Protein backbone atom coordinates (compact mmCIF):
# COMPACT_ATOMS: atom_id res chain seq x y z
CA UNK A 1 0.00 0.00 0.00
CA UNK A 2 1.29 3.44 -0.93
CA UNK A 3 1.64 5.95 1.85
CA UNK A 4 1.73 9.71 1.98
CA UNK A 5 2.64 12.34 4.54
CA UNK A 6 0.10 14.73 5.89
CA UNK A 7 1.55 17.79 7.58
CA UNK A 8 0.08 20.74 9.41
CA UNK A 9 2.70 23.43 9.16
CA UNK A 10 3.59 26.37 11.31
CA UNK A 11 5.19 24.83 14.41
CA UNK A 12 8.84 25.72 15.10
CA UNK A 13 10.90 22.58 15.71
CA UNK A 14 12.35 22.28 19.21
CA UNK A 15 14.34 19.60 21.00
CA UNK A 16 16.91 16.97 20.14
CA UNK A 17 17.25 14.53 17.26
CA UNK A 18 19.75 11.71 16.80
CA UNK A 19 21.18 11.12 13.35
CA UNK A 20 21.62 7.62 11.93
CA UNK A 21 24.45 6.03 9.96
CA UNK A 22 25.40 7.37 6.53
CA UNK A 23 23.36 5.66 3.81
CA UNK A 24 25.85 6.32 1.05
CA UNK A 25 28.77 5.02 3.15
CA UNK A 26 26.75 1.97 4.20
CA UNK A 27 26.02 1.01 0.57
CA UNK A 28 29.75 0.86 -0.22
CA UNK A 29 30.55 -0.87 3.05
CA UNK A 30 27.94 -3.61 2.58
CA UNK A 31 29.40 -4.41 -0.85
CA UNK A 32 32.94 -4.36 0.60
CA UNK A 33 31.87 -6.76 3.36
CA UNK A 34 31.39 -9.48 0.72
CA UNK A 35 35.07 -9.39 -0.18
CA UNK A 36 36.20 -11.55 2.74
CA UNK A 37 35.15 -15.08 3.62
CA UNK A 38 35.22 -14.16 7.31
CA UNK A 39 32.29 -12.68 9.19
CA UNK A 40 31.95 -8.92 9.26
CA UNK A 41 29.81 -7.03 11.79
CA UNK A 42 28.55 -3.61 10.77
CA UNK A 43 27.05 -1.25 13.32
CA UNK A 44 25.18 2.08 12.94
CA UNK A 45 23.57 0.77 9.76
CA UNK A 46 20.65 2.98 8.72
CA UNK A 47 17.38 1.06 8.50
CA UNK A 48 16.23 2.58 5.19
CA UNK A 49 14.89 1.13 1.97
CA UNK A 50 18.03 1.37 -0.19
CA UNK A 51 20.02 -0.50 2.45
CA UNK A 52 17.38 -3.19 2.83
CA UNK A 53 17.16 -3.70 -0.93
CA UNK A 54 20.94 -4.12 -1.11
CA UNK A 55 20.90 -6.57 1.81
CA UNK A 56 18.24 -8.63 0.02
CA UNK A 57 20.37 -8.70 -3.13
CA UNK A 58 23.43 -9.75 -1.12
CA UNK A 59 21.41 -12.54 0.44
CA UNK A 60 20.05 -13.43 -3.00
CA UNK A 61 23.53 -14.32 -4.28
CA UNK A 62 24.08 -16.59 -1.30
CA UNK A 63 25.85 -14.43 1.28
CA UNK A 64 24.76 -14.98 4.87
CA UNK A 65 23.06 -11.92 6.30
CA UNK A 66 21.96 -11.75 9.95
CA UNK A 67 20.22 -8.61 11.11
CA UNK A 68 21.19 -8.79 14.80
CA UNK A 69 19.35 -5.55 15.53
CA UNK A 70 17.80 -2.92 13.24
CA UNK A 71 21.16 -1.14 13.10
CA UNK A 72 23.56 -4.07 13.36
CA UNK A 73 24.14 -6.61 10.63
CA UNK A 74 26.43 -9.61 10.40
CA UNK A 75 27.55 -10.61 6.90
CA UNK A 76 29.47 -13.62 5.72
CA UNK A 77 30.52 -13.72 2.09
CA UNK A 78 31.97 -17.26 2.11
CA UNK A 79 28.61 -18.73 1.08
CA UNK A 80 28.25 -16.68 -2.11
CA UNK A 81 27.24 -19.02 -4.97
CA UNK A 82 26.46 -16.59 -7.70
CA UNK A 83 28.00 -13.43 -9.10
CA UNK A 84 25.02 -12.31 -11.15
CA UNK A 85 22.73 -9.66 -9.71
CA UNK A 86 19.58 -9.18 -11.71
CA UNK A 87 16.75 -8.33 -9.35
CA UNK A 88 14.03 -5.86 -10.20
CA UNK A 89 14.46 -4.12 -6.84
CA UNK A 90 18.19 -3.60 -7.48
CA UNK A 91 17.49 -2.27 -10.96
CA UNK A 92 15.94 0.77 -9.29
CA UNK A 93 18.91 1.60 -7.12
CA UNK A 94 22.14 3.27 -7.96
CA UNK A 95 24.48 1.62 -5.54
CA UNK A 96 24.04 -1.84 -7.06
CA UNK A 97 27.14 -0.86 -9.05
CA UNK A 98 29.27 -1.38 -5.94
CA UNK A 99 28.59 -5.11 -6.28
CA UNK A 100 30.46 -4.97 -9.59
CA UNK A 101 33.62 -3.62 -7.98
CA UNK A 102 33.40 -5.91 -4.94
CA UNK A 103 32.68 -9.15 -6.84
CA UNK A 104 35.15 -8.32 -9.61
CA UNK A 105 37.81 -7.68 -6.94
CA UNK A 106 37.10 -10.92 -5.12
CA UNK A 107 36.03 -13.39 -7.83
CA UNK A 108 37.37 -11.61 -10.94
CA UNK A 109 33.90 -11.85 -12.43
CA UNK A 110 30.63 -10.01 -11.89
CA UNK A 111 27.39 -9.39 -13.74
CA UNK A 112 25.09 -6.69 -12.47
CA UNK A 113 21.99 -5.12 -13.93
CA UNK A 114 22.60 -1.54 -15.13
CA UNK A 115 21.91 0.76 -12.18
CA UNK A 116 18.90 3.05 -11.87
CA UNK A 117 18.43 5.32 -8.87
CA UNK A 118 16.79 8.68 -8.33
CA UNK A 119 16.02 10.46 -11.58
CA UNK A 120 18.17 13.52 -11.00
CA UNK A 121 19.82 13.66 -14.40
CA UNK A 122 21.88 11.50 -16.69
CA UNK A 123 24.03 9.28 -14.53
CA UNK A 124 26.74 7.66 -16.64
CA UNK A 125 29.13 5.08 -15.18
CA UNK A 126 31.88 5.41 -17.76
CA UNK A 127 34.45 6.32 -15.10
CA UNK A 128 33.71 3.16 -13.11
CA UNK A 129 34.16 1.06 -16.24
CA UNK A 130 37.28 2.93 -17.27
CA UNK A 131 38.74 2.07 -13.86
CA UNK A 132 37.88 -1.64 -14.15
CA UNK A 133 39.40 -1.77 -17.63
CA UNK A 134 42.55 -0.05 -16.40
CA UNK A 135 42.90 -2.85 -13.83
CA UNK A 136 42.79 -5.42 -16.65
CA UNK A 137 39.11 -6.36 -16.73
CA UNK A 138 36.94 -6.64 -19.81
CA UNK A 139 33.58 -4.91 -19.59
CA UNK A 140 30.59 -5.52 -21.84
CA UNK A 141 27.06 -4.24 -21.66
CA UNK A 142 24.44 -6.61 -23.06
CA UNK A 143 20.68 -6.82 -22.56
CA UNK A 144 20.74 -4.28 -19.72
CA UNK A 145 23.46 -6.12 -17.80
CA UNK A 146 27.07 -5.15 -17.20
CA UNK A 147 29.44 -8.10 -17.51
CA UNK A 148 32.96 -7.70 -16.24
CA UNK A 149 35.71 -10.22 -15.79
CA UNK A 150 39.47 -10.53 -15.62
CA UNK A 151 42.01 -13.31 -15.58
CA UNK A 152 43.84 -11.25 -13.02
CA UNK A 153 43.59 -7.67 -11.83
CA UNK A 154 46.76 -5.59 -11.88
CA UNK A 155 47.14 -2.17 -10.24
CA UNK A 156 47.34 0.88 -12.49
CA UNK A 157 47.42 4.67 -12.48
CA UNK A 158 43.88 5.95 -13.07
CA UNK A 159 42.97 9.58 -13.64
CA UNK A 160 39.23 10.22 -13.28
CA UNK A 161 37.87 12.63 -15.90
CA UNK A 162 35.12 13.75 -13.51
CA UNK A 163 35.11 13.71 -9.73
CA UNK A 164 32.82 10.78 -9.01
CA UNK A 165 31.90 9.35 -5.61
CA UNK A 166 30.68 6.08 -7.10
CA UNK A 167 33.67 5.56 -9.41
CA UNK A 168 36.15 6.33 -6.62
CA UNK A 169 34.57 3.75 -4.29
CA UNK A 170 34.10 1.16 -7.02
CA UNK A 171 37.72 1.37 -8.17
CA UNK A 172 38.92 1.15 -4.54
CA UNK A 173 36.86 -2.03 -4.16
CA UNK A 174 38.16 -3.62 -7.35
CA UNK A 175 41.77 -2.58 -6.68
CA UNK A 176 42.25 -3.57 -3.06
CA UNK A 177 43.03 -7.21 -3.94
CA UNK A 178 44.64 -6.48 -7.34
CA UNK A 179 48.32 -7.25 -7.87
CA UNK A 180 50.55 -4.27 -7.12
CA UNK A 181 49.74 -0.63 -6.70
CA UNK A 182 46.82 1.45 -7.92
CA UNK A 183 46.67 5.23 -7.82
CA UNK A 184 43.34 7.04 -8.29
CA UNK A 185 43.89 10.68 -9.25
CA UNK A 186 41.14 13.32 -9.16
CA UNK A 187 39.37 11.09 -6.63
CA UNK A 188 36.22 12.23 -4.81
CA UNK A 189 36.85 13.33 -1.19
CA UNK A 190 33.41 12.85 0.42
CA UNK A 191 33.32 11.59 4.03
CA UNK A 192 31.80 8.32 2.84
CA UNK A 193 34.83 7.66 0.61
CA UNK A 194 36.98 7.86 3.73
CA UNK A 195 34.57 5.62 5.63
CA UNK A 196 34.61 2.90 2.97
CA UNK A 197 38.43 3.10 2.82
CA UNK A 198 38.67 2.88 6.63
CA UNK A 199 36.39 -0.13 6.60
CA UNK A 200 38.44 -1.87 3.88
CA UNK A 201 41.63 -1.09 5.85
CA UNK A 202 40.02 -2.59 8.96
CA UNK A 203 39.64 -5.77 6.84
CA UNK A 204 43.34 -5.74 5.98
CA UNK A 205 43.38 -3.61 2.81
CA UNK A 206 46.15 -1.07 2.29
CA UNK A 207 44.53 2.18 1.15
CA UNK A 208 46.15 5.54 1.77
CA UNK A 209 45.07 9.08 0.93
CA UNK A 210 41.27 8.63 1.05
CA UNK A 211 39.81 12.09 1.66
CA UNK A 212 42.39 13.67 -0.66
CA UNK A 213 42.27 13.71 -4.45
CA UNK A 214 44.99 11.05 -4.73
CA UNK A 215 44.25 7.60 -3.32
CA UNK A 216 47.00 4.98 -3.28
CA UNK A 217 46.09 1.33 -2.94
CA UNK A 218 48.56 -1.51 -2.50
CA UNK A 219 46.86 -4.78 -3.34
CA UNK A 220 46.70 -7.47 -0.64
CA UNK A 221 46.10 -11.18 -1.15
CA UNK A 222 43.07 -11.46 1.04
CA UNK A 223 40.84 -9.54 3.39
CA UNK A 224 39.72 -10.65 6.84
CA UNK A 225 36.75 -10.12 9.16
CA UNK A 226 36.11 -6.88 10.98
CA UNK A 227 33.71 -5.04 13.28
CA UNK A 228 32.94 -1.56 12.12
CA UNK A 229 30.62 1.33 12.92
CA UNK A 230 29.43 3.56 10.06
CA UNK A 231 29.84 7.36 10.27
CA UNK A 232 26.77 9.56 10.81
CA UNK A 233 24.78 10.70 7.79
CA UNK A 234 25.87 14.16 6.71
CA UNK A 235 22.74 14.72 4.61
CA UNK A 236 20.21 13.55 7.20
CA UNK A 237 21.91 15.91 9.66
CA UNK A 238 21.93 18.75 7.13
CA UNK A 239 18.23 18.23 6.42
CA UNK A 240 17.37 18.61 10.12
CA UNK A 241 19.60 21.70 10.29
CA UNK A 242 17.59 23.28 7.48
CA UNK A 243 14.28 22.18 9.00
CA UNK A 244 15.26 23.83 12.31
CA UNK A 245 16.17 27.10 10.57
CA UNK A 246 13.18 27.11 8.19
CA UNK A 247 10.65 26.63 11.01
CA UNK A 248 12.46 29.28 13.13
CA UNK A 249 13.09 26.60 15.72
CA UNK A 250 15.95 25.48 17.92
CA UNK A 251 17.23 21.92 17.49
CA UNK A 252 20.20 20.01 18.87
CA UNK A 253 21.27 17.52 16.20
CA UNK A 254 23.19 14.70 17.87
CA UNK A 255 25.55 11.99 16.62
CA UNK A 256 27.11 14.05 13.84
CA UNK A 257 30.64 14.94 12.76
CA UNK A 258 30.47 18.77 12.68
CA UNK A 259 33.42 18.95 10.27
CA UNK A 260 31.35 17.12 7.64
CA UNK A 261 28.61 19.74 8.01
CA UNK A 262 30.81 22.81 7.61
CA UNK A 263 29.62 23.82 4.13
CA UNK A 264 26.03 23.77 5.43
CA UNK A 265 26.83 25.47 8.75
CA UNK A 266 28.74 28.28 7.04
CA UNK A 267 25.81 29.02 4.70
CA UNK A 268 23.31 28.98 7.56
CA UNK A 269 25.45 31.39 9.56
CA UNK A 270 25.92 33.61 6.50
CA UNK A 271 22.16 34.01 6.08
CA UNK A 272 21.64 34.76 9.77
CA UNK A 273 20.94 31.48 11.58
CA UNK A 274 22.82 30.50 14.73
CA UNK A 275 24.89 27.33 14.54
CA UNK A 276 26.74 26.07 17.61
CA UNK A 277 29.19 23.20 17.23
CA UNK A 278 29.90 20.60 19.91
CA UNK A 279 32.12 17.51 19.75
CA UNK A 280 29.47 15.31 18.17
CA UNK A 281 26.46 17.58 17.84
CA UNK A 282 25.35 20.86 16.27
CA UNK A 283 22.62 23.15 17.48
CA UNK A 284 20.76 25.24 14.93
CA UNK A 285 18.34 28.01 15.75
CA UNK A 286 16.76 30.97 13.99
CA UNK A 287 14.41 33.43 15.60
CA UNK A 288 13.73 35.59 12.57
CA UNK A 289 13.50 35.58 8.77
CA UNK A 290 16.87 34.73 7.22
CA UNK A 291 18.73 36.48 4.41
CA UNK A 292 19.59 35.62 0.81
CA UNK A 293 22.67 33.90 -0.58
CA UNK A 294 24.42 32.47 -3.62
CA UNK A 295 25.15 28.76 -3.60
CA UNK A 296 26.83 26.46 -6.07
CA UNK A 297 26.87 22.71 -5.50
CA UNK A 298 30.33 21.17 -5.72
CA UNK A 299 32.08 17.93 -4.77
CA UNK A 300 33.14 17.75 -1.10
CA UNK A 301 34.20 19.94 0.67
CA UNK A 302 31.93 22.18 -1.42
CA UNK A 303 28.21 22.55 -0.83
CA UNK A 304 26.63 19.07 -1.36
CA UNK A 305 24.22 18.55 -4.24
CA UNK A 306 22.24 16.31 -1.86
CA UNK A 307 21.43 19.44 0.21
CA UNK A 308 20.53 21.68 -2.72
CA UNK A 309 16.73 21.22 -2.65
CA UNK A 310 16.60 21.70 1.13
CA UNK A 311 18.63 24.93 1.20
CA UNK A 312 16.77 26.27 -1.85
CA UNK A 313 13.53 25.73 0.06
CA UNK A 314 14.91 27.75 2.96
CA UNK A 315 16.13 30.51 0.64
CA UNK A 316 12.68 30.60 -0.98
CA UNK A 317 11.43 31.85 2.40
CA UNK A 318 14.32 34.24 3.04
CA UNK A 319 14.61 37.92 2.30
CA UNK A 320 15.81 39.05 -1.14
CA UNK A 321 17.03 37.24 -4.23
CA UNK A 322 19.11 34.09 -4.00
CA UNK A 323 20.88 32.22 -6.76
CA UNK A 324 21.40 28.45 -6.56
CA UNK A 325 23.58 26.76 -9.18
CA UNK A 326 23.45 22.97 -9.50
CA UNK A 327 26.72 21.82 -11.01
CA UNK A 328 26.61 18.05 -10.35
CA UNK A 329 23.27 16.75 -11.68
CA UNK A 330 21.27 18.59 -14.34
CA UNK A 331 17.82 17.44 -13.27
CA UNK A 332 17.74 18.38 -9.64
CA UNK A 333 15.22 21.20 -9.74
CA UNK A 334 12.16 19.02 -10.19
CA UNK A 335 10.77 20.10 -6.82
CA UNK A 336 10.49 23.71 -7.99
CA UNK A 337 7.06 23.22 -9.60
CA UNK A 338 5.77 21.69 -6.38
CA UNK A 339 7.23 24.49 -4.26
CA UNK A 340 5.68 27.05 -6.60
CA UNK A 341 2.29 25.51 -5.87
CA UNK A 342 2.96 26.32 -2.23
CA UNK A 343 3.69 29.94 -3.10
CA UNK A 344 7.45 29.96 -3.75
CA UNK A 345 8.80 32.27 -6.44
CA UNK A 346 11.57 30.42 -8.26
CA UNK A 347 12.65 30.62 -11.88
CA UNK A 348 14.92 27.91 -13.27
CA UNK A 349 17.20 28.67 -16.20
CA UNK A 350 19.37 25.71 -17.13
CA UNK A 351 21.25 24.72 -14.01
CA UNK A 352 20.52 27.96 -12.15
CA UNK A 353 17.54 28.73 -9.92
CA UNK A 354 16.74 32.36 -9.26
CA UNK A 355 14.80 32.57 -6.05
CA UNK A 356 12.77 35.58 -4.92
CA UNK A 357 12.13 35.06 -1.22
CA UNK A 358 8.49 35.05 -0.12
CA UNK A 359 7.13 35.55 3.41
CA UNK A 360 5.49 32.15 3.71
CA UNK A 361 4.12 29.07 1.96
CA UNK A 362 0.60 27.72 1.96
CA UNK A 363 -0.25 24.02 2.18
CA UNK A 364 -0.89 22.05 -1.01
CA UNK A 365 -1.17 18.51 -2.37
CA UNK A 366 2.23 17.70 -3.81
CA UNK A 367 4.43 14.80 -4.83
CA UNK A 368 8.04 13.92 -3.95
CA UNK A 369 10.02 13.77 -7.20
CA UNK A 370 13.12 12.14 -5.65
CA UNK A 371 14.79 11.50 -2.30
CA UNK A 372 16.30 14.87 -1.35
CA UNK A 373 13.68 16.91 -3.19
CA UNK A 374 11.08 14.95 -1.23
CA UNK A 375 12.79 15.85 2.05
CA UNK A 376 12.86 19.50 0.99
CA UNK A 377 9.11 19.41 0.33
CA UNK A 378 8.56 18.01 3.83
CA UNK A 379 10.48 21.01 5.18
CA UNK A 380 8.23 23.26 3.07
CA UNK A 381 5.16 21.53 4.51
CA UNK A 382 6.44 22.06 8.06
CA UNK A 383 6.59 25.80 7.41
CA UNK A 384 3.43 26.20 5.30
CA UNK A 385 0.20 27.57 6.63
CA UNK A 386 -2.46 24.85 6.70
CA UNK A 387 -2.26 21.25 5.52
CA UNK A 388 0.16 19.74 3.03
CA UNK A 389 -0.02 16.20 1.69
CA UNK A 390 3.00 14.69 0.00
CA UNK A 391 2.76 11.49 -1.97
CA UNK A 392 5.46 9.24 -3.51
CA UNK A 393 7.15 9.23 -0.10
CA UNK A 394 8.77 5.93 -1.08
CA UNK A 395 11.56 8.11 -2.43
CA UNK A 396 12.03 9.79 0.93
CA UNK A 397 12.07 6.40 2.64
CA UNK A 398 15.04 5.37 0.50
CA UNK A 399 17.25 7.52 2.67
CA UNK A 400 15.51 8.84 5.81
CA UNK A 401 14.79 6.50 8.70
CA UNK A 402 11.63 7.26 10.70
CA UNK A 403 11.62 10.76 9.23
CA UNK A 404 8.10 11.58 10.39
CA UNK A 405 8.71 10.12 13.87
CA UNK A 406 11.88 12.15 14.36
CA UNK A 407 10.05 15.30 13.23
CA UNK A 408 7.08 14.57 15.51
CA UNK A 409 9.47 14.25 18.45
CA UNK A 410 10.60 17.80 17.63
CA UNK A 411 7.02 19.05 17.84
CA UNK A 412 6.02 18.84 14.18
CA UNK A 413 2.52 17.77 13.17
CA UNK A 414 3.20 15.11 10.55
CA UNK A 415 1.86 11.62 10.04
CA UNK A 416 2.29 8.82 7.53
CA UNK A 417 -1.10 7.69 6.24
CA UNK A 418 -2.30 5.54 3.33
CA UNK A 419 -2.83 7.39 0.03
CA UNK A 420 -6.49 8.23 -0.66
CA UNK A 421 -7.56 7.41 2.89
CA UNK A 422 -9.93 10.28 3.56
CA UNK A 423 -10.76 8.94 7.03
CA UNK A 424 -7.09 9.01 8.03
CA UNK A 425 -6.91 12.62 6.81
CA UNK A 426 -9.95 13.59 8.88
CA UNK A 427 -8.58 11.78 11.91
CA UNK A 428 -5.28 13.66 11.62
CA UNK A 429 -7.07 16.99 11.27
CA UNK A 430 -9.24 16.27 14.31
CA UNK A 431 -6.21 15.29 16.36
CA UNK A 432 -4.19 18.36 15.37
CA UNK A 433 -7.13 20.72 15.65
C1 LIG B 1 26.60 9.61 -5.21
O1 LIG B 1 26.04 9.33 -6.48
C2 LIG B 1 25.46 9.54 -4.24
N1 LIG B 1 24.86 8.21 -4.31
C3 LIG B 1 24.43 10.60 -4.56
O2 LIG B 1 23.48 10.59 -3.51
C4 LIG B 1 25.09 11.98 -4.60
O3 LIG B 1 24.16 12.92 -5.07
C5 LIG B 1 26.30 11.97 -5.52
O4 LIG B 1 27.19 10.89 -5.16
C6 LIG B 1 27.10 13.27 -5.48
O5 LIG B 1 27.56 13.52 -4.19
C7 LIG B 1 25.42 7.19 -3.67
O6 LIG B 1 26.42 7.33 -2.98
C8 LIG B 1 24.75 5.88 -3.78
P1 LIG B 1 28.88 10.75 -8.78
P2 LIG B 1 26.99 8.94 -7.68
O7 LIG B 1 29.43 9.56 -9.48
O8 LIG B 1 28.14 8.17 -7.16
C9 LIG B 1 29.17 12.32 -13.32
C10 LIG B 1 21.37 10.76 -2.55
O9 LIG B 1 20.46 11.63 -2.58
N2 LIG B 1 29.70 10.98 -13.63
O10 LIG B 1 29.73 11.41 -7.75
O11 LIG B 1 26.14 8.35 -8.73
C11 LIG B 1 27.71 12.31 -12.91
O12 LIG B 1 26.88 12.36 -14.04
C12 LIG B 1 22.10 10.37 -3.80
O13 LIG B 1 21.68 10.13 -1.52
C13 LIG B 1 30.15 10.68 -14.90
O14 LIG B 1 30.13 11.53 -15.80
O15 LIG B 1 27.48 10.38 -8.14
C14 LIG B 1 27.63 13.54 -12.05
O16 LIG B 1 27.48 14.68 -12.86
C15 LIG B 1 21.49 10.89 -5.04
N3 LIG B 1 30.65 9.42 -15.15
C16 LIG B 1 29.00 13.61 -11.37
O17 LIG B 1 29.85 12.79 -12.17
C17 LIG B 1 30.72 8.46 -14.19
O18 LIG B 1 31.19 7.35 -14.47
C18 LIG B 1 29.03 13.10 -9.93
O19 LIG B 1 28.44 11.81 -9.86
C19 LIG B 1 30.25 8.76 -12.90
C20 LIG B 1 29.72 10.03 -12.63
Amino acid sequence: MENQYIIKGGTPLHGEVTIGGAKNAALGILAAALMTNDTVVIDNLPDVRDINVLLDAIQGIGATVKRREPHVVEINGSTIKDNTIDYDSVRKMRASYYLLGALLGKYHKAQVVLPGGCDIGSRPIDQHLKGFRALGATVNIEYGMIHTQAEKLVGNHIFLDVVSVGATINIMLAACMAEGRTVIENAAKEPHIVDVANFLNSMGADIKGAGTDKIRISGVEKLHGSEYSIIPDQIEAGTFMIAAAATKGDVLIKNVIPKHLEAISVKLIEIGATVEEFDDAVRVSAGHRLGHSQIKTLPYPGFPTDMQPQIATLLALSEGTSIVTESIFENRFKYVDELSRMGASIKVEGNVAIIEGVHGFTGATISAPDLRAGAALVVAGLVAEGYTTIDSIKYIERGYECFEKKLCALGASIEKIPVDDERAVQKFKLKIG
Side-chain angles (χ1 to χ4, degrees), residues 3-6 393 397 402 404-405 414-418 424 428:
N3 288 318
Q4 63 181 9
Y5 284 143
I6 180 160
I393 65 168
E397 292 176 333
C402 300
E404 73 284 2
K405 292 200 180 91
I414 174 171
E415 206 167 291
K416 183 157 81 176
I417 59 168
F428 175 79

Side-chain angles (χ1 to χ4, degrees), residues 23-24 27 94-95 97-98 120 122-128 162-166 190 192 305-306 328-329 332 371-372:
K23 172 191 73 112
N24 289 344
L27 292 167
R94 190 74 189 152
Y97 53 40
Y98 291 143
I120 52 179
S122 133
R123 300 180 74 179
I125 56 162
D126 55 301
Q127 299 304 305
H128 304 231
V162 290
V163 180
S164 160
V165 170
E190 268 68 3
H192 36 292
T305 172
D306 291 350
I328 312 288
F329 292 112
R332 245 184 161 171
L371 166 57
R372 307 302 172 187

